[in-house]
Amino acid sequence: MTAEPFGPAYASLYDELYAGKDYEGEVDLVVEAFRRFGAGETRAVLDVGCGTGGHGLPLARRGYAVTGVDRSAEMLARAREKAAAAGLAVELERGDARSLRLERTFDAVLLLFAVLGYMPGDEDVLAALRTARAHLRPGGLVVLDGWWGPNVVAHPPQDAVREVVHAGAPVRRAATVELDPARHLCTVRYALEGLAGEEEAHVLRYFFEDELERFLAATGFRLLALSAFGALDVPPDADTRTFAAVAEAS
Ligand SMILES: C[S@@+](CC[C@H](N)C(=O)[O-])C[C@H]1O[C@@H](n2cnc3c(N)ncnc32)[C@H](O)[C@@H]1O
């Protein structure tokens, strides 16, 4: 059975699948972006597509007032458990990036680990960026990342397998990929072998510079930095798998 992305089985594995991801290092980068590009103090942060709290929890630990929103109840449940276990006060709410309206503003909005990529059509991307803009004060920042289009063209993603140990037993995640170059989409079908045979299809969009600039300008942002993820001063090139963008709410 193919389930909605980030359903119970996938969410229960998520932190094990990405145990090697350097969230603290990524938060260092986010904080550097706040310092370098933020107009005024950055304190209140909205983490859209917060998942299990990989960025939100470390930010809360560093003193930021964090609100996390995600569409997946199971990912949010994991984030809640982790926040409670760490004694961190993080506000966590269920919502869709395209329609969320909390009726208050923040100093920064995050869309990290390809959250914008989960918006397949132009209207979805625009709606998510409008959400980000609606939750920012003028001068507030959106920090986002995603798959870099020129890299997908030069080095198309390949089928891959990742194995983790979950609750003491091996689980194999087999990923098969299918590109739709006309729509800048990659469908990744995950089969979780060893976990009730769950399957999920993740439709991920990859981005090019001109469309990113257009999407941001159309939703009330000014692009301040476009870089390879991990180094704010390094422009992305065909070898850059993940880009980072920082834009200011105008
Ligand atoms: C790859 S995960 C990243 C999670 C987290 N930001 C991290 O870095 O670990 C993508 C997340 O985006 C969420 N997501 C995808 N589409 C969404 C939407 N339309 N609205 C809200 N959340 C969404 C998923 O549920 C998932 O938790």
Side-chain angles (χ1 to χ4, degrees):
M1 190 190 85
T2 301
E4 279 290 301
F6 303 96
Y10 199 86
S12 74
L13 276 189
Y14 185 83
D15 285 345
E16 286 151 359
L17 286 168
Y18 295 107
K21 191 166 161 67
D22 179 13
Y23 281 105
E24 286 291 343
E26 294 184 10
V27 168
D28 288 345
L29 193 83
V30 167
V31 169
E32 190 191 335
F34 293 166
R35 287 210 188 100
R36 208 190 282 195
F37 300 109
E41 195 195 1
T42 301
R43 220 190 82 73
V45 178
L46 175 63
D47 185 5
V48 177
C50 63
T52 63
H55 301 101
L57 270 50
L59 278 168
R61 201 172 290 117
R62 295 182 195 202
Y64 291 88
V66 177
T67 299
V69 172
D70 203 283
R71 187 172 61 171
S72 159
E74 290 80 16
M75 295 289 275
L76 273 179
R78 285 288 300 133
R80 280 202 186 94
E81 284 165 19
K82 286 161 64 180
L88 292 169
V90 178
E91 210 179 301
L92 293 161
E93 292 202 23
R94 192 155 182 211
D96 193 298
R98 293 163 294 188
S99 53
L100 179 81
R101 289 297 180 270
L102 297 175
E103 308 303 341
R104 62 198 161 103
T105 58
F106 296 78
D107 303 309
V109 172
L110 309 180
L111 290 152
L112 289 178
F113 202 9
V115 172
L116 198 63
Y118 280 89
M119 311 297 138
D122 287 9
E123 275 313 314
D124 302 298
V125 175
L126 289 164
L129 291 175
R130 271 186 220 111
T131 293
R133 181 63 190 85
H135 291 88
L136 282 170
R137 60 167 170 79
L141 298 179
V142 64
V143 182
L144 61 90
D145 66 7
W147 258 0
W148 186 235
N151 177 271
V152 175
V153 173
H155 310 286
Q158 305 294 316
D159 296 352
V161 169
R162 187 172 287 193
E163 288 178 333
V164 294
V165 174
H166 179 69
V171 175
R172 199 167 169 272
R173 185 190 73 173
T176 52
V177 298
E178 191 186 331
L179 280 185
D180 177 352
R183 295 194 297 156
H184 304 172
L185 295 179
C186 179
T187 299
V188 186
R189 290 194 177 79
Y190 292 119
L192 304 177
E193 296 160 15
L195 205 66
E198 282 277 7
E199 282 185 22
E200 291 196 351
H202 293 215
V203 180
L204 278 161
R205 181 172 180 140
Y206 45 95
F207 292 94
F208 295 84
E209 184 166 358
D210 61 331
E211 57 176 0
L212 260 181
E213 277 176 2
R214 253 186 304 113
F215 288 140
L216 286 165
T219 50
F221 285 103
R222 193 165 68 89
L223 182 61
L224 300 177
L226 180 62
S227 68
F229 190 86
L232 288 171
D233 295 313
V234 178
D237 62 21
D239 291 324
T240 301
R241 178 58 100 195
T242 304
F243 72 90
V246 184
E248 180 188 54
S250 42

